[in-house]
Amino acid sequence: MNSLFPPEKIIFNVPNASIEYFPNFFEAEKCTLLFEKLLNEIPWQQDTIRVYGKNHPQPTLTALFGNEGKPYSYSNIIMQPHPWNPLMMFIKNEIETVCHENFTTVLLNLYRDGKDSNGWHADNEKELGRNPVIASVSFGAERFFHLQHNSIANEKHKIYLENGSLLLMKGETQHFWKHQIPKTAKPIGPRINLTFRILK
């Protein structure tokens, strides 16, 4: 983020949600440096998820960093956090300047290519409390982020998550909407996504 100028912000006017998008939150040169450090320095892991009674390798590599050793659970996976390091703290502090939140945890996903994906879900785990603030920053290959309202069939949206962008989901978003990163047949490179959150 360039501290001399406030970042560009796009506000999405959709029902039962508060969604803001900052397309160029991190400058291109900084994105390249951060992407390489994240790719090479993060202790990535691949967990097993259970879908319809069958075990499958999770379709992304993941890592968790956070406060006080608090675990985070989702999709029948329990992750133990690594302690904050200077790289995570730098990105966290940059995001908190516009979010005005004190995030306790970050979940990282590495999409190795277009075959890696993240299925329909909401970030509504009980540890996040009511109306959680989710701050999602993306580096590397650009992917579409799909949104679908839980009860209004024609409320569907796509956001093109650019390299260095920041997406904020606040308010009732996680109660009324689900989201995904679908697979793509296009030949694309790796993408790294960090979703900051607050564990209660």
Side-chain angles (χ1 to χ4, degrees):
M1 184 179 66
N2 188 336
S3 59
L4 297 178
F5 302 98
E8 175 190 359
K9 178 170 70 173
I10 299 169
I11 299 175
F12 291 88
N13 184 20
V14 294
N16 310 121
S18 175
I19 300 173
E20 300 173 1
Y21 180 61
F22 302 79
N24 299 296
F25 189 78
F26 287 99
E27 299 168 349
E29 187 175 335
K30 193 170 288 182
C31 287
T32 300
L33 176 62
L34 291 173
F35 177 83
E36 290 300 324
K37 290 179 72 67
L38 289 165
L39 185 64
N40 295 309
E41 297 179 12
I42 294 301
W44 298 105
Q45 64 188 63
Q46 185 172 32
D47 292 300
T48 299
I49 57 174
R50 193 166 183 81
V51 181
Y52 300 118
K54 293 185 177 181
N55 292 329
H56 303 273
Q58 192 172 5
T60 61
L61 303 186
T62 61
L64 187 75
F65 288 77
N67 295 359
E68 302 170 357
K70 281 188 177 182
Y72 180 58
S73 59
Y74 66 98
S75 301
N76 297 317
I77 296 172
I78 300 176
M79 296 190 71
Q80 300 294 332
H82 302 282
W84 294 106
N85 62 21
L87 176 59
M88 291 294 101
M89 287 302 298
F90 170 77
I91 300 173
K92 177 178 183 285
N93 291 338
E94 290 287 289
I95 291 172
E96 288 177 347
T97 60
V98 298
C99 298
H100 307 295
E101 301 284 348
N102 184 16
F103 294 109
T104 67
T105 303
V106 59
L107 175 64
L108 296 88
N109 281 276
L110 169 57
Y111 299 77
R112 293 159 291 184
D113 53 33
K115 296 177 183 178
D116 281 357
S117 62
N118 201 332
W120 287 113
H121 69 284
D123 296 319
N124 57 2
E125 291 79 16
K126 64 180 182 179
E127 300 101 311
L128 300 178
R130 183 169 178 80
N131 296 339
V133 177
I134 306 295
S136 174
V137 63
S138 300
F139 299 105
E142 300 174 341
R143 300 283 291 265
F144 275 108
F145 180 83
H146 291 193
L147 287 153
Q148 168 68 63
H149 196 281
N150 292 334
S151 58
I152 306 175
N154 62 349
E155 282 290 345
K156 301 177 182 179
H157 301 277
K158 292 181 183 179
I159 303 173
Y160 195 54
L161 297 180
E162 299 164 90
N163 182 27
S165 65
L166 172 64
L167 180 72
L168 290 183
M169 295 182 286
K170 303 185 289 185
E172 299 178 318
T173 306
Q174 304 305 322
H175 301 291
F176 289 92
W177 293 79
K178 55 183 176 287
H179 54 270
Q180 69 164 352
I181 300 285
K183 294 181 181 180
T184 177
K186 294 180 180 179
I188 60 171
R191 168 183 181 261
I192 296 174
N193 173 246
L194 299 82
T195 51
F196 289 85
R197 54 200 69 202
I198 300 170
L199 297 189
K200 303 297 184 180

